[in-house]
Coordinates of all heavy atoms in Angstrom, one line a residue:
M1 N 0.0 -60.3 -1.0 CA 1.1 -59.5 -1.7 C 0.2 -58.2 -2.4 O 0.6 -57.2 -2.5 CB 1.9 -60.2 -2.8 CG 2.9 -59.3 -3.5 SD 4.2 -58.8 -2.3 CE 5.1 -57.7 -3.4
T2 N -0.8 -58.8 -3.1 CA -1.7 -57.7 -3.8 C -2.3 -56.7 -2.9 O -2.5 -55.6 -3.2 CB -2.9 -58.4 -4.6 OG1 -3.6 -59.2 -3.7 CG2 -2.2 -59.3 -5.7
R3 N -2.7 -57.1 -1.6 CA -3.2 -56.2 -0.6 C -2.2 -55.1 -0.3 O -2.4 -54.0 -0.2 CB -3.5 -57.0 0.6 CG -4.9 -57.5 0.6 CD -5.4 -58.0 1.9 NE -6.6 -58.5 1.9 CZ -7.4 -59.1 2.8 NH1 -6.8 -59.1 4.0 NH2 -8.5 -59.7 2.7
F4 N -0.9 -55.6 -0.1 CA 0.2 -54.7 0.2 C 0.4 -53.7 -1.0 O 0.6 -52.5 -0.6 CB 1.5 -55.4 0.5 CG 2.7 -54.5 0.6 CD1 2.9 -53.8 1.7 CD2 3.6 -54.5 -0.4 CE1 4.0 -53.0 1.9 CE2 4.7 -53.6 -0.3 CZ 4.9 -52.9 0.9
L5 N 0.3 -54.2 -2.2 CA 0.5 -53.1 -3.3 C -0.7 -52.3 -3.4 O -0.5 -51.1 -3.7 CB 0.6 -54.1 -4.6 CG 1.9 -54.7 -4.9 CD1 1.9 -55.6 -6.1 CD2 3.1 -53.9 -4.9
F6 N -1.9 -52.8 -3.0 CA -3.1 -51.9 -3.1 C -2.9 -50.7 -2.0 O -3.1 -49.6 -2.3 CB -4.4 -52.7 -2.8 CG -5.5 -51.8 -2.5 CD1 -6.3 -51.3 -3.5 CD2 -6.0 -51.6 -1.2 CE1 -7.3 -50.5 -3.3 CE2 -7.1 -50.8 -0.9 CZ -7.8 -50.3 -2.0
W7 N -2.5 -51.1 -0.8 CA -2.3 -50.1 0.2 C -1.2 -49.1 -0.1 O -1.3 -47.9 0.2 CB -2.1 -50.8 1.7 CG -3.4 -51.3 2.2 CD1 -3.7 -52.6 2.4 CD2 -4.7 -50.5 2.5 NE1 -5.0 -52.8 2.8 CE2 -5.6 -51.5 3.0 CE3 -5.0 -49.3 2.5 CZ2 -6.9 -51.2 3.4 CZ3 -6.3 -48.9 2.9 CH2 -7.1 -49.9 3.4
L8 N -0.2 -49.6 -0.7 CA 1.0 -48.8 -1.1 C 0.6 -47.8 -2.1 O 0.8 -46.6 -2.0 CB 2.2 -49.6 -1.5 CG 3.5 -48.9 -1.8 CD1 4.1 -48.4 -0.5 CD2 4.5 -49.9 -2.5
A9 N -0.1 -48.2 -3.1 CA -0.7 -47.3 -4.3 C -1.7 -46.3 -3.6 O -1.6 -45.1 -4.0 CB -1.4 -48.1 -5.3
L10 N -2.5 -46.7 -2.7 CA -3.4 -45.8 -2.0 C -2.6 -44.7 -1.2 O -3.1 -43.6 -1.4 CB -4.4 -46.6 -1.1 CG -5.6 -45.7 -0.6 CD1 -6.5 -45.3 -1.6 CD2 -6.2 -46.6 0.4
A11 N -1.6 -45.3 -0.6 CA -0.8 -44.3 0.2 C -0.1 -43.1 -0.7 O -0.2 -41.9 -0.4 CB 0.2 -44.9 1.0
F12 N 0.4 -43.6 -1.8 CA 1.0 -42.7 -2.8 C -0.1 -41.7 -3.4 O 0.2 -40.5 -3.5 CB 1.5 -43.5 -3.8 CG 3.0 -43.9 -3.5 CD1 3.4 -45.3 -3.5 CD2 4.1 -42.8 -3.3 CE1 4.7 -45.6 -3.1 CE2 5.4 -43.2 -3.1 CZ 5.7 -44.6 -2.9
L13 N -1.3 -42.3 -3.6 CA -2.3 -41.4 -4.2 C -2.8 -40.3 -3.1 O -2.9 -39.2 -3.5 CB -3.6 -42.2 -4.6 CG -3.5 -43.0 -5.9 CD1 -4.7 -43.9 -6.1 CD2 -3.4 -42.0 -7.0
V14 N -2.8 -40.7 -1.8 CA -3.2 -39.9 -0.9 C -2.1 -38.7 -0.6 O -2.4 -37.4 -0.6 CB -3.5 -40.5 0.5 CG1 -3.5 -39.5 1.7 CG2 -4.8 -41.3 0.4
L15 N -0.9 -39.1 -0.7 CA 0.2 -38.2 -0.6 C 0.3 -37.2 -1.7 O 0.5 -35.9 -1.5 CB 1.6 -38.9 -0.5 CG 1.8 -39.5 0.9 CD1 3.2 -40.4 0.8 CD2 2.0 -38.5 2.0
F16 N 0.0 -37.7 -2.9 CA 0.0 -36.8 -4.1 C -1.1 -35.9 -4.1 O -0.9 -34.7 -4.4 CB -0.1 -37.7 -5.4 CG -0.1 -36.9 -6.6 CD1 1.1 -36.5 -7.2 CD2 -1.3 -36.7 -7.3 CE1 1.0 -35.7 -8.3 CE2 -1.3 -36.0 -8.5 CZ -0.1 -35.5 -9.0
A17 N -2.3 -36.2 -3.6 CA -3.4 -35.4 -3.5 C -3.1 -34.4 -2.4 O -3.4 -33.1 -2.7 CB -4.8 -36.1 -3.1
I18 N -2.5 -34.7 -1.3 CA -2.3 -33.6 -0.3 C -1.2 -32.6 -0.8 O -1.4 -31.3 -0.8 CB -1.7 -34.3 1.0 CG1 -2.8 -35.0 1.7 CG2 -1.1 -33.3 2.0 CD1 -2.5 -36.0 2.9
R19 N -0.2 -33.0 -1.6 CA 0.8 -32.1 -2.1 C 0.3 -31.3 -3.1 O 0.6 -30.0 -3.2 CB 2.0 -32.9 -2.7 CG 3.0 -33.6 -1.6 CD 4.1 -34.2 -2.3 NE 4.8 -33.4 -3.2 CZ 6.0 -33.8 -4.0 NH1 6.2 -35.0 -4.0 NH2 6.5 -32.8 -4.6
S20 N -0.6 -31.8 -4.0 CA -1.1 -31.0 -5.0 C -2.1 -29.8 -4.4 O -2.1 -28.7 -4.8 CB -1.9 -31.7 -6.0 OG -3.0 -32.4 -5.5
K21 N -2.9 -30.2 -3.3 CA -3.6 -29.3 -2.7 C -2.9 -28.1 -2.1 O -3.3 -27.0 -2.1 CB -4.6 -30.0 -1.6 CG -5.5 -29.3 -0.9 CD -6.7 -28.9 -1.8 CE -7.8 -28.1 -0.9 NZ -8.9 -27.6 -1.7
I22 N -1.8 -28.5 -1.4 CA -1.0 -27.5 -0.7 C -0.3 -26.6 -1.7 O -0.3 -25.4 -1.5 CB 0.2 -28.2 0.2 CG1 -0.4 -28.9 1.4 CG2 1.2 -27.3 0.6 CD1 0.5 -29.7 2.1
R23 N 0.1 -27.1 -2.9 CA 0.7 -26.3 -4.0 C -0.4 -25.2 -4.5 O -0.1 -24.1 -4.7 CB 1.3 -27.1 -5.0 CG 2.5 -27.7 -4.7 CD 3.1 -28.3 -6.0 NE 4.3 -29.0 -5.6 CZ 4.9 -30.0 -6.5 NH1 4.3 -30.3 -7.5 NH2 6.1 -30.5 -6.1
G24 N -1.7 -25.8 -4.6 CA -2.8 -24.9 -5.1 C -2.9 -23.8 -4.1 O -3.2 -22.6 -4.5
L25 N -3.0 -24.1 -2.8 CA -3.3 -23.0 -1.8 C -2.1 -22.1 -1.9 O -2.3 -20.8 -1.7 CB -3.4 -23.6 -0.4 CG -4.6 -24.5 -0.2 CD1 -4.6 -25.1 1.2 CD2 -5.9 -23.6 -0.3
Q26 N -0.8 -22.4 -2.0 CA 0.3 -21.6 -2.0 C 0.2 -20.6 -3.3 O 0.4 -19.4 -3.2 CB 1.6 -22.3 -2.0 CG 1.9 -22.9 -0.7 CD 3.2 -23.8 -0.8 OE1 3.7 -24.2 -1.8 NE2 3.7 -24.1 0.4
Q27 N -0.1 -21.3 -4.4 CA -0.2 -20.4 -5.6 C -1.3 -19.3 -5.5 O -1.2 -18.2 -5.9 CB -0.5 -21.3 -6.8 CG 0.8 -21.9 -7.3 CD 0.6 -22.8 -8.4 OE1 -0.7 -23.0 -8.8 NE2 1.6 -23.4 -9.0
R28 N -2.4 -19.7 -4.9 CA -3.6 -18.8 -4.6 C -3.1 -17.6 -3.8 O -3.5 -16.5 -3.9 CB -4.9 -19.5 -4.1 CG -6.0 -18.6 -4.1 CD -7.3 -19.3 -3.5 NE -7.5 -20.5 -3.9 CZ -8.3 -21.4 -3.3 NH1 -8.9 -21.0 -2.1 NH2 -8.6 -22.6 -3.5
A29 N -2.5 -18.0 -2.8 CA -2.0 -17.0 -1.7 C -1.0 -16.0 -2.4 O -1.1 -14.8 -2.2 CB -1.3 -17.6 -0.5
R30 N -0.1 -16.6 -3.3 CA 0.8 -15.8 -4.0 C 0.1 -14.7 -5.0 O 0.3 -13.5 -5.1 CB 1.8 -16.5 -4.8 CG 3.0 -16.9 -4.0 CD 4.2 -17.6 -4.8 NE 4.6 -18.7 -4.2 CZ 4.7 -19.8 -4.7 NH1 4.3 -20.1 -5.8 NH2 5.1 -20.9 -4.0
S31 N -0.9 -15.3 -5.7 CA -1.5 -14.4 -6.6 C -2.4 -13.3 -6.0 O -2.6 -12.2 -6.4 CB -2.6 -15.2 -7.5 OG -3.5 -15.9 -6.8
Q32 N -3.0 -13.7 -4.7 CA -3.8 -12.7 -4.0 C -2.7 -11.6 -3.5 O -3.1 -10.4 -3.4 CB -4.5 -13.3 -2.8 CG -5.7 -14.0 -3.2 CD -6.4 -14.8 -2.1 OE1 -5.8 -14.8 -1.0 NE2 -7.5 -15.3 -2.3
Q33 N -1.4 -12.0 -3.2 CA -0.6 -10.9 -2.6 C -0.2 -9.9 -3.8 O -0.1 -8.7 -3.6 CB 0.7 -11.6 -2.2 CG 0.5 -12.1 -0.7 CD 1.7 -12.8 -0.2 OE1 2.6 -13.0 -1.0 NE2 1.8 -13.2 0.9
Q34 N -0.1 -10.5 -5.0 CA 0.2 -9.7 -6.2 C -0.9 -8.7 -6.5 O -0.8 -7.7 -7.1 CB 0.6 -10.5 -7.3 CG 1.9 -11.3 -7.0 CD 2.3 -12.2 -8.2 OE1 1.4 -12.3 -9.0 NE2 3.4 -12.8 -8.0
Q35 N -2.2 -9.1 -6.4 CA -3.3 -8.3 -6.7 C -3.7 -7.3 -5.8 O -4.6 -6.4 -6.1 CB -4.6 -9.3 -7.0 CG -4.4 -10.1 -8.3 CD -5.4 -11.1 -8.3 OE1 -6.3 -11.3 -7.5 NE2 -5.5 -11.8 -9.5
Q36 N -3.1 -7.4 -4.5 CA -3.5 -6.3 -3.5 C -3.1 -4.9 -4.0 O -1.9 -4.8 -4.5 CB -2.9 -6.6 -2.2 CG -3.6 -7.8 -1.4 CD -2.9 -7.9 -0.1 OE1 -1.8 -7.5 0.1 NE2 -3.7 -8.6 0.8
P37 N -4.0 -3.8 -3.9 CA -3.6 -2.6 -4.4 C -2.6 -2.0 -3.4 O -2.7 -2.4 -2.1 CB -4.8 -1.7 -4.3 CG -5.8 -2.6 -3.4 CD -5.4 -4.0 -3.5
P38 N -1.7 -1.0 -3.7 CA -0.8 -0.5 -2.7 C -1.5 0.4 -1.7 O -2.8 0.6 -1.9 CB 0.1 0.4 -3.6 CG -0.7 0.6 -4.9 CD -1.5 -0.5 -5.0
H39 N -0.9 0.7 -0.7 CA -1.5 1.4 0.5 C -2.1 2.6 0.0 O -1.5 3.5 -0.8 CB -0.4 1.8 1.6 CG -1.1 2.0 2.8 ND1 -1.2 3.3 3.1 CD2 -1.6 1.2 3.9 CE1 -1.8 3.3 4.4 NE2 -1.9 2.1 4.8
P40 N -3.1 3.2 0.5 CA -3.8 4.5 -0.1 C -2.8 5.7 0.2 O -2.8 6.6 -0.6 CB -5.0 4.6 0.8 CG -5.3 3.4 1.6 CD -4.1 2.5 1.4
F41 N -2.2 5.6 1.3 CA -1.2 6.7 1.6 C -0.1 6.9 0.6 O 0.4 7.8 0.2 CB -0.6 6.7 3.1 CG -1.7 7.0 4.0 CD1 -1.5 6.4 5.3 CD2 -2.7 8.0 3.8 CE1 -2.5 6.7 6.3 CE2 -3.6 8.2 4.7 CZ -3.5 7.6 6.0
A42 N 0.4 5.6 0.1 CA 1.4 5.6 -0.9 C 0.9 6.1 -2.2 O 1.6 6.9 -2.8 CB 1.9 4.2 -1.2
Q43 N -0.4 5.8 -2.5 CA -0.9 6.4 -3.8 C -1.0 7.9 -3.7 O -0.8 8.6 -4.6 CB -2.3 5.9 -4.1 CG -2.3 4.4 -4.6 CD -3.7 4.0 -4.9 OE1 -4.6 4.3 -4.3 NE2 -3.7 3.1 -5.9
A44 N -1.4 8.4 -2.5 CA -1.6 9.9 -2.3 C -0.2 10.6 -2.5 O -0.1 11.6 -3.1 CB -2.2 10.1 -0.9
N45 N 0.8 10.0 -1.8 CA 2.2 10.6 -1.9 C 2.7 10.5 -3.4 O 3.2 11.6 -3.9 CB 3.2 9.8 -1.1 CG 3.0 10.1 0.4 OD1 2.5 11.2 0.7 ND2 3.5 9.1 1.1
R46 N 2.3 9.5 -4.2 CA 2.7 9.4 -5.6 C 2.0 10.5 -6.5 O 2.6 11.1 -7.3 CB 2.4 8.0 -6.2 CG 3.1 7.8 -7.6 CD 2.8 6.5 -8.1 NE 2.6 5.5 -7.1 CZ 1.6 4.4 -7.3 NH1 0.8 4.5 -8.2 NH2 1.4 3.5 -6.4
R47 N 0.8 10.7 -6.1 CA -0.1 11.8 -6.9 C 0.6 13.1 -6.6 O 0.8 13.9 -7.6 CB -1.5 11.7 -6.4 CG -2.2 10.8 -7.3 CD -3.8 11.0 -7.0 NE -4.3 9.8 -6.6 CZ -5.0 9.6 -5.4 NH1 -5.1 10.6 -4.7 NH2 -5.5 8.3 -5.1
V48 N 1.1 13.4 -5.5 CA 1.7 14.7 -5.2 C 3.0 14.9 -5.9 O 3.3 15.8 -6.5 CB 2.0 14.9 -3.6 CG1 2.8 16.2 -3.4 CG2 0.5 15.0 -2.9
E49 N 3.8 13.7 -5.9 CA 5.0 13.8 -6.7 C 4.8 13.9 -8.1 O 5.6 14.5 -8.9 CB 5.9 12.6 -6.3 CG 6.3 12.4 -5.0 CD 6.9 11.1 -4.6 OE1 6.9 10.2 -5.5 OE2 7.3 10.9 -3.4
E50 N 3.7 13.4 -8.7 CA 3.5 13.5 -10.1 C 3.0 14.9 -10.6 O 3.1 15.2 -11.7 CB 2.3 12.5 -10.6 CG 2.8 11.1 -10.5 CD 1.7 10.1 -10.7 OE1 0.5 10.4 -10.9 OE2 2.0 8.8 -10.8
L51 N 2.5 15.8 -9.6 CA 2.2 17.1 -10.1 C 3.6 18.1 -10.0 O 4.1 18.3 -9.0 CB 1.2 17.7 -9.0 CG -0.1 17.0 -9.0 CD1 -1.0 17.5 -7.8 CD2 -0.9 17.1 -10.2
P52 N 3.9 18.4 -11.3 CA 5.2 19.1 -11.3 C 5.0 20.7 -10.9 O 5.9 21.1 -10.3 CB 5.5 19.1 -12.9 CG 4.2 18.9 -13.5 CD 3.3 18.2 -12.4
D53 N 3.8 21.1 -10.9 CA 3.7 22.6 -10.5 C 2.8 22.7 -9.3 O 2.1 23.7 -9.1 CB 3.0 23.3 -11.7 CG 1.8 22.7 -12.2 OD1 1.5 21.5 -11.8 OD2 1.1 23.2 -13.1
A54 N 2.9 21.8 -8.3 CA 2.4 21.8 -7.1 C 3.0 22.9 -6.3 O 4.2 22.9 -6.2 CB 2.3 20.6 -6.3
E55 N 2.2 23.9 -5.7 CA 2.9 25.0 -5.0 C 3.2 24.8 -3.6 O 2.3 24.0 -2.9 CB 1.9 26.2 -5.2 CG 2.6 27.4 -4.8 CD 1.8 28.7 -5.3 OE1 0.8 28.5 -6.0 OE2 2.2 29.8 -4.9
Q56 N 4.1 25.2 -3.0 CA 4.4 25.0 -1.4 C 3.3 25.9 -0.8 O 3.0 27.0 -1.2 CB 5.8 25.5 -1.3 CG 6.2 25.3 0.2 CD 7.6 25.9 0.5 OE1 8.2 26.6 -0.3 NE2 8.0 25.8 1.8
M57 N 2.9 25.3 0.4 CA 1.9 25.9 1.2 C 2.7 26.4 2.5 O 3.7 25.8 3.0 CB 0.9 25.0 1.6 CG 0.1 24.4 0.4 SD -0.7 25.7 -0.5 CE -2.2 25.9 0.6
L58 N 2.2 27.6 3.0 CA 2.9 28.3 4.1 C 1.8 28.4 5.1 O 0.6 28.5 4.9 CB 3.6 29.7 3.9 CG 4.7 29.6 2.8 CD1 5.1 31.0 2.5 CD2 5.9 28.8 3.3
C59 N 2.3 28.6 6.4 CA 1.2 28.7 7.5 C 1.3 30.2 8.0 O 2.5 30.6 8.3 CB 1.6 27.7 8.7 SG 0.5 27.9 10.0
C60 N 0.2 30.9 8.2 CA 0.3 32.2 8.7 C 0.6 32.3 10.2 O 0.1 31.4 11.0 CB -1.2 32.7 8.4 SG -1.4 34.5 9.0
A61 N 1.4 33.2 10.4 CA 2.0 33.3 11.8 C 0.9 33.9 12.8 O 1.0 33.8 13.9 CB 3.3 34.1 11.8
H62 N -0.2 34.5 12.2 CA -1.2 35.1 12.9 C -2.3 34.2 13.2 O -2.8 33.9 14.3 CB -1.7 36.4 12.3 CG -2.8 37.1 13.2 ND1 -2.6 37.7 14.3 CD2 -4.1 37.2 12.8 CE1 -3.7 38.2 14.7 NE2 -4.6 38.0 13.9
C63 N -3.0 33.7 12.0 CA -4.2 32.9 12.2 C -4.0 31.5 11.9 O -4.9 30.6 12.2 CB -5.2 33.4 11.1 SG -4.7 33.2 9.4
G64 N -2.8 31.0 11.4 CA -2.5 29.5 11.3 C -3.1 29.0 10.1 O -3.0 27.7 9.9
V65 N -3.7 29.8 9.2 CA -4.2 29.3 8.0 C -3.1 28.9 7.0 O -2.0 29.6 6.9 CB -5.2 30.3 7.3 CG1 -5.5 30.0 5.7 CG2 -6.4 30.4 8.0
Y66 N -3.2 27.8 6.2 CA -2.3 27.5 5.1 C -2.7 28.1 3.8 O -3.8 28.2 3.4 CB -2.2 26.0 5.0 CG -1.3 25.3 6.0 CD1 -2.0 24.9 7.3 CD2 0.1 25.0 5.9 CE1 -1.2 24.3 8.3 CE2 0.7 24.5 6.9 CZ 0.1 24.1 8.2 OH 0.8 23.6 9.1
Y67 N -1.7 28.8 3.2 CA -1.9 29.5 2.0 C -0.8 29.3 1.0 O 0.4 28.9 1.4 CB -2.1 31.0 2.3 CG -1.0 31.6 3.0 CD1 0.1 32.3 2.2 CD2 -0.8 31.4 4.4 CE1 1.2 32.8 2.9 CE2 0.2 32.1 5.1 CZ 1.3 32.6 4.2 OH 2.3 33.2 4.8
P68 N -1.0 29.5 -0.3 CA 0.0 29.3 -1.4 C 1.3 30.2 -1.0 O 1.1 31.5 -0.7 CB -0.5 29.6 -2.7 CG -2.1 29.5 -2.4 CD -2.2 29.9 -1.0
A69 N 2.5 29.8 -1.4 CA 3.6 30.7 -1.0 C 3.6 31.9 -1.9 O 4.3 32.8 -1.5 CB 4.9 29.7 -1.3
S70 N 3.0 31.9 -3.1 CA 2.9 33.0 -4.0 C 2.2 34.2 -3.3 O 2.3 35.3 -3.9 CB 2.4 32.6 -5.4 OG 1.0 32.2 -5.1
E71 N 1.3 33.9 -2.4 CA 0.5 35.0 -1.8 C 1.2 35.4 -0.3 O 0.5 36.0 0.4 CB -0.9 34.4 -1.5 CG -1.7 34.1 -2.8 CD -3.0 33.5 -2.5 OE1 -3.4 33.5 -1.4 OE2 -3.6 32.9 -3.5
N72 N 2.4 35.0 -0.1 CA 3.0 35.2 1.1 C 3.3 36.7 1.3 O 3.6 37.5 0.4 CB 4.5 34.4 1.3 CG 4.9 34.6 2.6 OD1 4.3 34.8 3.5 ND2 6.3 34.5 2.6
V73 N 3.1 37.2 2.6 CA 3.3 38.7 3.0 C 4.4 38.5 4.1 O 4.0 38.4 5.2 CB 2.1 39.3 3.4 CG1 2.4 40.7 3.8 CG2 1.1 39.3 2.4
P74 N 5.7 38.5 3.8 CA 6.6 38.5 4.9 C 6.7 39.7 5.6 O 6.8 40.8 5.1 CB 7.9 38.1 4.1 CG 7.7 38.6 2.7 CD 6.3 38.6 2.4
A75 N 6.7 39.7 7.0 CA 6.9 40.9 7.8 C 7.5 40.4 9.2 O 7.1 39.4 9.7 CB 5.6 41.5 7.9
K76 N 8.4 41.1 9.7 CA 9.0 40.9 11.1 C 9.6 39.5 11.2 O 9.5 39.0 12.1 CB 7.9 41.1 12.1 CG 7.3 42.5 12.2 CD 6.1 42.5 13.2 CE 4.9 43.1 12.5 NZ 3.6 43.0 13.3
G77 N 10.2 39.0 10.1 CA 10.7 37.7 10.1 C 9.7 36.5 10.2 O 10.1 35.3 10.3
H78 N 8.4 36.8 9.9 CA 7.3 35.7 9.9 C 6.6 35.9 8.5 O 6.8 36.8 7.8 CB 6.4 35.8 10.9 CG 7.1 35.8 12.4 ND1 7.3 34.5 12.9 CD2 7.4 36.7 13.3 CE1 7.9 34.7 14.1 NE2 8.0 36.0 14.3
D79 N 5.9 34.7 8.3 CA 5.0 34.8 7.1 C 3.6 34.9 7.4 O 3.1 34.3 8.3 CB 5.3 33.4 6.4 CG 6.7 33.2 6.0 OD1 7.4 34.2 5.5 OD2 7.2 32.0 6.0
Y80 N 2.9 35.8 6.7 CA 1.5 36.1 7.0 C 0.6 35.9 5.7 O 1.2 35.9 4.6 CB 1.3 37.6 7.3 CG 2.0 37.8 8.8 CD1 3.3 38.2 8.7 CD2 1.4 37.4 10.0 CE1 3.9 38.5 10.0 CE2 2.0 37.6 11.2 CZ 3.4 38.2 11.1 OH 3.8 38.4 12.4
C81 N -0.6 35.6 5.8 CA -1.4 35.3 4.6 C -2.0 36.5 4.0 O -2.4 36.6 2.9 CB -2.7 34.4 5.1 SG -3.8 35.3 6.3
S82 N -1.9 37.7 4.7 CA -2.5 38.9 4.1 C -1.7 40.1 4.8 O -1.2 39.9 5.9 CB -3.9 39.1 4.3 OG -4.2 39.1 5.8
H83 N -1.9 41.2 4.3 CA -1.4 42.5 4.8 C -2.1 42.8 6.2 O -1.4 43.3 7.1 CB -1.5 43.6 3.8 CG -0.7 43.6 2.6 ND1 0.7 44.0 2.8 CD2 -0.9 43.1 1.4 CE1 1.2 43.6 1.6 NE2 0.3 43.3 0.7
A84 N -3.4 42.5 6.3 CA -4.1 42.8 7.5 C -3.4 42.1 8.6 O -3.3 42.6 9.8 CB -5.5 42.5 7.4
H85 N -3.1 40.8 8.5 CA -2.5 39.9 9.5 C -1.0 40.3 9.8 O -0.5 40.2 10.9 CB -2.7 38.5 9.2 CG -4.0 37.9 9.4 ND1 -4.4 36.7 9.2 CD2 -5.1 38.6 9.9 CE1 -5.7 36.5 9.5 NE2 -6.1 37.7 9.9
A86 N -0.4 40.9 8.7 CA 1.0 41.3 8.8 C 1.2 42.6 9.7 O 2.2 42.8 10.4 CB 1.7 41.5 7.4
T87 N 0.1 43.4 9.6 CA 0.3 44.7 10.2 C -0.2 44.7 11.7 O 0.1 45.7 12.4 CB -0.6 45.8 9.4 OG1 -1.8 45.3 9.3 CG2 0.2 46.1 8.0
I88 N -0.9 43.6 12.2 CA -1.4 43.5 13.4 C -0.3 43.3 14.5 O 0.6 42.5 14.1 CB -2.5 42.3 13.6 CG1 -3.7 42.8 12.8 CG2 -2.8 42.2 15.0 CD1 -4.8 41.7 12.7
Ligands
LIG1 ZN1 -3.4 34.9 8.6

């Protein structure tokens, strides 16, 4: 009878050890997921949204350069980066 109780206690101890090990691994996985930084592109988009006075950029119809909308030279229904490109 004592042998049976010994093996029964040993089986419970092994089961308890396995369950606690699995719980530890799950908690470590959860904490690692929470510590991961957000995607770099998501951070870049957030930075652009945080800039209240970020200026819109336009593409020149002649040379394809992007320039601030405040320097736009509209002509013939298109946007140009300079008067030289607008008159060509
Ligand atoms: Zn241009």
Side-chain angles (χ1 to χ4, degrees):
M1 184 67 185
T2 54
R3 276 191 181 175
F4 174 74
L5 289 176
F6 170 76
W7 287 112
L8 190 66
L10 187 66
F12 275 113
L13 283 175
V14 168
L15 284 175
F16 180 76
I18 290 173
R19 283 182 59 185
S20 64
K21 181 74 175 176
I22 288 173
R23 281 185 185 166
L25 289 175
Q26 287 174 344
Q27 285 178 351
R28 190 187 312 165
R30 271 188 227 127
S31 65
Q32 283 177 352
Q33 284 176 350
Q34 291 172 353
Q35 290 174 354
Q36 281 182 343
H39 196 267
F41 289 148
Q43 282 185 332
N45 287 338
R46 192 182 325 138
R47 268 188 240 126
V48 169
E49 291 170 0
E50 288 173 358
L51 295 174
D53 50 353
E55 193 168 354
Q56 182 186 5
M57 301 296 282
L58 299 174
C59 181
C60 178
H62 179 73
C63 64
V65 164
Y66 283 87
Y67 57 95
S70 62
E71 301 174 10
N72 186 29
V73 181
K76 301 173 230 166
H78 295 283
D79 297 326
Y80 297 95
C81 64
S82 62
H83 286 286
H85 286 176
T87 54
I88 292 176

